[in-house]
């Protein structure tokens, strides 16, 4: 197995153009597991740890945050809870401190596992995925990035360079169910984001389908139920209906971590919980305004 270690983004893009089959690696928390268990044996590894551009984040003048693909979860937790609250909450649930120090959102997007903890918040907030090659840079909505199981809109000569997160415009929450409290792959997970200015709702479902999913019918329903001018607790029937619509959007399977029926039930519970948390936060914000 060959190994390339470029020191600049341009060198990395040129290497990817010359070797489209090269597997990028930063934290290695997924790739190294596959190598150790002989599930993957690429001809070339493209080490991106020396590419400083990928390890930076910056906020623009409009409140958006451009998060470099190699910024580890531990920094997201420490530095971005105000700018990316949903993603920061999801990052806290990732594995162990050691893995949070190495793992990245770019790695989650590259592996495209439906169980990736960072992915539901990207869907819920309508984040953009930045893809670069020697041909140029383009962005793809996270909602359009996942095509099928572990298949994405990224082209063979492209690298994931960043995600662009919109300014939070309301409460964002994340919930995850696992077989234990730490060091666990999600049985299923759910993200919810309220845009109180645009009066819209965003959702993200993890580990309950071939790709991360949205619950679009649930989003539309909830947007029509919330009193955006004077937020108040929702009727129990509306909360329960939201949970049902989220569960209905899932496409789960039975596997060693849980049954399809359990995943749907868990999603319904998490949807109701995150909705309750979000409305409580919204009411507090409205009272302080």
């Amino acid at each position: 197995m060959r190994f390339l270690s470029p020191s600049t983004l341009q060198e990395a893009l040129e290497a990817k153009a010359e070797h489209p089959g090269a597997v990028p690696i930063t934290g290695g928390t997924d790739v190294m597991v596959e190598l150790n268990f002989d599930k993957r044996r690429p001809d070339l590894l493209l080490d991106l740890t020396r590419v400083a551009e990928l390890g930076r984040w910056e906020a623009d003048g409009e409140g958006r945050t451009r998060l470099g693909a190699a910024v580890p979860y531990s920094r997201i937790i420490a530095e971005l809870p105000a700018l990316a609250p949903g993603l920061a909450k999801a990052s806290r649930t990732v594995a162990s401190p050691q893995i949070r120090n190495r793992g990245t959102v770019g790695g989650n997007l590259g592996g495209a596992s439906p169980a990736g903890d960072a992915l539901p918040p990207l869907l819920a907030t309508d984040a953009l995925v930045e893809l670069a090659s020697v041909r140029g840079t383009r962005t793809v909505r996270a909602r359009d990035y996942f095509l099928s199981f572990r298949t994405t809109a990224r082209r063979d000569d492209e690298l994931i360079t960043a995600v662009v997160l919109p300014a939070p415009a309301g409460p964002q929450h994340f919930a995850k169910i696992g077989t234990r409290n730490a060091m666990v792959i999600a049985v299923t997970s759910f993200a919810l984001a309220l845009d109180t200015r645009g009066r819209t709702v965003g959702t993200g479902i993890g580990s309950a389908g071939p790709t991360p999913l949205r619950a679009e019918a649930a989003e539309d329903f909830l947007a029509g139920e919330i009193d955006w001018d004077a937020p108040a607790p929702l009727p129990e029937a509306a909360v329960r209906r939201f949970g049902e619509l989220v569960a209905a959007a899932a496409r789960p399977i039975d596997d060693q971590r849980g049954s399809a029926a359990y995943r749907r039930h868990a999603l319904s519970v998490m949807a109701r919980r995150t909705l309750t948390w979000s409305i409580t936060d919204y009411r507090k914000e409205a009272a302080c305004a």
Side-chain angles (χ1 to χ4, degrees):
M1 187 185 304
R2 292 177 296 161
F3 185 84
L4 292 179
S5 183
S7 58
T8 68
L9 180 58
Q10 185 59 35
E11 289 178 359
L13 297 179
E14 290 171 357
K16 190 63 169 141
E18 185 177 353
H19 307 281
V23 174
I25 183 170
T26 49
T29 57
D30 289 330
V31 173
M32 291 308 299
V33 172
E34 293 177 340
L35 294 179
N36 288 339
F37 284 92
D38 208 25
K39 292 183 177 180
R40 194 176 198 179
R41 193 58 54 179
D43 292 331
L44 179 65
L45 286 179
L46 185 58
D47 174 27
L48 301 176
T49 56
R50 294 201 301 148
V51 181
E53 298 99 310
L54 301 180
R56 301 176 185 142
W57 69 266
E58 59 186 359
D60 68 14
E62 299 180 14
R64 292 174 301 208
T65 300
R66 183 183 179 276
L67 177 69
V71 176
Y73 293 115
S74 57
R75 287 186 56 201
I76 295 173
I77 296 166
E79 301 170 22
L80 295 174
L83 295 175
L87 182 59
K89 289 169 183 172
S91 298
R92 292 190 186 98
T93 74
V94 174
S96 65
Q98 295 91 334
I99 291 176
R100 291 194 290 273
N101 283 337
R102 296 292 299 171
T104 65
V105 176
N108 253 192
L109 286 165
S113 167
D117 293 322
L119 305 181
L122 299 186
L123 294 183
T125 57
D126 201 16
L128 301 176
V129 181
E130 184 181 283
L131 302 169
S133 71
V134 293
R135 294 176 289 105
T137 300
R138 65 187 180 110
T139 56
V140 177
R141 295 176 75 187
R143 296 173 178 183
D144 300 323
Y145 176 77
F146 304 98
L147 304 181
S148 60
F149 180 67
R150 291 190 179 271
T151 302
T152 71
R154 185 185 64 81
R155 295 165 185 154
D156 287 343
D157 66 337
E158 290 180 323
L159 292 174
I160 301 163
T161 48
V163 293
V164 180
L165 305 162
Q172 298 179 11
H173 282 284
F174 176 81
K176 171 180 171 180
I177 294 289
T179 53
R180 58 184 184 180
N181 288 333
M183 289 295 290
V184 65
I185 298 173
V187 173
T188 189
S189 60
F190 181 71
L192 177 64
L194 302 186
D195 182 342
T196 61
R197 291 194 288 270
R199 302 190 173 194
T200 59
V201 175
T203 59
I205 295 171
S207 202
T211 68
L213 302 167
R214 289 172 60 205
E216 296 182 56
E219 294 173 2
D220 293 340
F221 168 79
L222 185 56
E225 290 293 317
I226 294 174
D227 185 341
W228 298 101
D229 295 316
L234 294 175
E236 178 60 29
V239 175
R240 188 165 296 279
R241 181 57 180 160
F242 177 68
E244 292 170 352
L245 289 171
V246 168
R251 295 156 57 193
I253 60 171
D254 298 324
D255 63 16
Q256 68 272 20
R257 287 183 285 118
S259 67
Y262 177 74
R263 285 184 163 97
R264 286 196 178 93
H265 170 72
L267 279 168
S268 178
V269 172
M270 289 189 294
R272 297 197 303 267
R273 286 178 180 171
T274 55
L275 173 54
T276 301
W277 299 337
S278 297
I279 293 297
T280 299
D281 289 349
Y282 186 17
R283 295 182 69 205
K284 290 178 181 177
E285 292 170 6
C288 294

